[in-house]
Amino acid sequence: MTTWHVLGAGSLGILWASRLARAGLPVRLILRNPDRLTDYRNAGGLRLTENGQTHLYRIPAELAQADTPIRRLLVACKAYDAENAVAQVASRFAESCEILLLQNGLGSQQAVASRWPAARCLFVSSTEGAYRQDGFHATFAGQGQNWLGDPNDSNAPAWLEDLAAASIPHRWTTDIMGRLWHKLALNCAINPLTVLHDCRNGELRAHPQALDALCDELAALLVANGYPELAAGLAEDVRRVIEATAANYSSMYQDVHAGRRTEITYLLGHACRTAALIGLEVPHLDGLHRRLQTLLDRRGLPRD
């Protein structure tokens, strides 16, 4: 069986690695430095809490500099770290290496795919929920779906049966870019506003005009990129997500309040750059982007 190398031990990395290991599949974690590896060994493995029960998974871990070949790599780090993280292990890629990119937004996936064209890059759009309790302990927070696809090859890989064995919900799609664009539009409509208004998702009900203006511009952007069917129902989709996650804080809100770098460049930044490239005017999105960057400046966080 091909080993799953998991690069990044954040919430989704822990979630995927734990479920794969639980199914008896070979998994190895790749950690970023010797201190992190020492912390992992002291922790004794990964812990995953599901339905109130916590289990320990003693998954082997290594540094990027290990010499074993990599045939399948799951990149579960943040979008802004993805390209540099992959570069650290690229010398280990076996022939016909496959890379699964589990990043938010758009831009980081294309950067990796263009830099390592010999590898097959598969993009993943996930709606599963998980949050990290501490260093190597994550809690599964919500059922969702993982859409997988390859913009350059519509043929599904045989190893999808590994995901079925590991009870990882998944579907293969021949339009992964549409899935990623739709999720980006939802995130751009919701996440930045929760940061600026310092609120939970559900409290955005009090700002219908701002939501409508953003949805109009994001819908126009979807149409311009060839997704009119996604644009048609975007406003309803945004409000449905707000209702379904009313008590939650968005991931961008959580990053800002924890003093962490956000993925603004790959979400709102990508939307604004794409609109500028095609000559589409999006004044509300541009204004929101500037306001969010100003807030990040005030908090001493990177604006990109």
Side-chain angles (χ1 to χ4, degrees), residues 124-190:
V124 185
S125 178
S126 179
T127 60
E128 289 196 288
Y131 61 90
R132 192 163 61 180
Q133 301 262 82
D134 52 40
F136 297 98
H137 181 186
T139 294
F140 182 49
Q143 297 290 336
Q145 186 60 266
N146 295 288
W147 294 90
L148 297 92
D150 180 347
N152 300 314
D153 186 348
S154 61
N155 296 305
W159 51 255
L160 289 182
E161 62 189 24
D162 282 8
L163 304 188
S167 298
I168 296 175
H170 65 281
R171 291 187 184 179
W172 180 258
T173 176
T174 56
D175 185 22
I176 188 61
M177 293 305 297
R179 290 284 170 184
L180 289 167
W181 264 110
H182 184 244
K183 186 180 178 186
L184 180 143
L186 293 174
N187 284 336
C188 286
I190 296 171

Side-chain angles (χ1 to χ4, degrees), residues 30-301:
I30 301 175
L31 301 176
R32 62 177 175 262
N33 57 48
D35 289 343
R36 184 81 165 143
L37 182 59
T38 297
D39 290 343
Y40 176 74
R41 288 172 175 162
N42 290 337
L46 297 181
R47 285 176 170 80
L48 179 63
T49 298
E50 297 174 282
N51 301 318
Q53 295 189 329
T54 301
H55 296 280
L56 174 67
Y57 301 95
R58 300 183 186 278
I59 298 169
E62 63 194 25
L63 296 176
Q65 296 77 24
D67 56 7
T68 52
I70 295 174
R71 293 180 173 83
R72 186 173 305 138
L73 180 68
L74 175 67
V75 183
C77 53
K78 293 284 192 177
Y80 48 75
D81 283 332
E83 184 177 357
N84 286 337
V86 173
Q88 298 299 311
V89 299
S91 63
R92 299 169 54 189
F93 287 169
E95 187 176 355
S96 302
C97 176
E98 296 170 305
I99 305 174
L100 284 79
L101 296 159
L102 191 61
Q103 280 64 56
N104 274 333
L106 282 166
S108 63
Q109 303 94 332
Q110 292 88 336
V112 171
S114 62
R115 187 166 173 182
W116 291 281
R120 184 184 187 188
C121 288
L122 298 103
F123 300 173
V124 185
S125 178
S126 179
T127 60
E128 289 196 288
Y131 61 90
R132 192 163 61 180
Q133 301 262 82
D134 52 40
F136 297 98
H137 181 186
T139 294
F140 182 49
Q143 297 290 336
Q145 186 60 266
N146 295 288
W147 294 90
L148 297 92
D150 180 347
N152 300 314
D153 186 348
S154 61
N155 296 305
W159 51 255
L160 289 182
E161 62 189 24
D162 282 8
L163 304 188
S167 298
I168 296 175
H170 65 281
R171 291 187 184 179
W172 180 258
T173 176
T174 56
D175 185 22
I176 188 61
M177 293 305 297
R179 290 284 170 184
L180 289 167
W181 264 110
H182 184 244
K183 186 180 178 186
L184 180 143
L186 293 174
N187 284 336
C188 286
I190 296 171
N191 292 15
L193 286 179
T194 66
V195 175
L196 291 177
H197 293 291
D198 194 24
C199 68
R200 298 176 190 266
N201 292 356
E203 295 173 72
L204 293 182
R205 302 184 191 104
H207 306 280
Q209 291 181 326
L211 283 170
D212 287 342
L214 292 175
C215 286
D216 286 347
E217 292 183 359
L218 288 163
L221 187 58
L222 289 173
V223 170
N225 280 276
Y227 301 107
E229 70 287 352
L230 298 179
L234 181 62
E236 291 76 11
D237 290 341
V238 166
R239 283 176 167 77
R240 187 158 46 245
V241 170
I242 287 172
E243 293 301 324
T245 63
N248 296 356
Y249 289 108
S250 74
S251 58
M252 187 177 289
Y253 176 100
Q254 293 179 54
D255 284 341
V256 170
H257 278 259
R260 295 189 296 259
R261 183 178 178 182
T262 71
E263 294 176 297
I264 181 176
T265 294
Y266 303 93
L267 295 167
L268 194 53
H270 186 85
C272 292
R273 285 193 306 275
T274 302
L277 285 172
I278 61 177
L280 179 66
E281 293 188 3
V282 287
H284 291 93
L285 285 168
D286 286 335
L288 181 62
H289 192 202
R290 289 191 297 271
R291 290 169 64 198
L292 189 55
Q293 287 179 319
T294 298
L295 182 147
L296 294 173
D297 289 341
R298 288 203 307 268
R299 288 181 173 259
L301 295 173

